[in-house]
Amino acid sequence: MTPEMKSVIDAEVQANKILVYGKGTKTMPRCGFTLETIQFFQQFGYPFEVVDALADADKRQALAEMTDWPTLPKVFIAGKFYGDTDILEPMRQSGELQKILEDTFAESRA
């Protein structure tokens, strides 16, 4: 991974409290897993962004290296990598994810 690509990814992650790297965009997902992740986050009502990593092989490779997670989508919340909905759904069920989201967005309401 080039330093430039790492900088691009770091900037995207920092600019969005919830960021999903997926296949396609929020309005035009290009795989079922990306659509599932979009629908998952829509239930919470917090703003989130989807970046199409399918369009950039170098970015996909850099993300895989950075996260040690080979597949898309990849979800970052408050700058931390969480995986995908396979990881996040149990966190939602336990209430842990709601707490993380509340804490993440509390600063913008203060």
Side-chain angles (χ1 to χ4, degrees), residues 1 6 9-10 12-13 19-22 53 58-77 79-84 87:
M1 152 182 23
K6 183 170 181 348
I9 293 169
D10 287 345
E12 289 172 340
V13 169
L19 181 62
V20 178
Y21 285 101
D58 292 337
K59 183 178 275 185
R60 277 196 324 272
Q61 180 59 40
L63 284 162
E65 290 173 22
M66 288 173 73
T67 61
D68 198 26
W69 190 268
T71 58
L72 295 171
K74 299 176 191 307
V75 176
F76 290 82
I77 302 171
K80 181 179 176 186
F81 174 66
Y82 282 91
D84 63 17
I87 305 298

Side-chain angles (χ1 to χ4, degrees), residues 7-71:
S7 291
V8 166
I9 293 169
D10 287 345
E12 289 172 340
V13 169
Q14 293 307 313
N16 297 281
K17 292 184 179 192
I18 301 173
L19 181 62
V20 178
Y21 285 101
K23 295 179 181 179
T25 63
K26 194 187 299 187
T27 57
M28 190 93 142
R30 294 177 59 194
C31 85
F33 295 116
T34 298
L35 175 60
E36 175 184 287
T37 305
I38 291 166
Q39 292 171 337
F40 179 84
F41 279 107
Q42 286 173 335
Q43 71 183 311
F44 296 103
Y46 293 108
F48 66 96
E49 191 54 61
V50 178
V51 171
D52 184 4
L54 189 61
D56 187 336
D58 292 337
K59 183 178 275 185
R60 277 196 324 272
Q61 180 59 40
L63 284 162
E65 290 173 22
M66 288 173 73
T67 61
D68 198 26
W69 190 268
T71 58

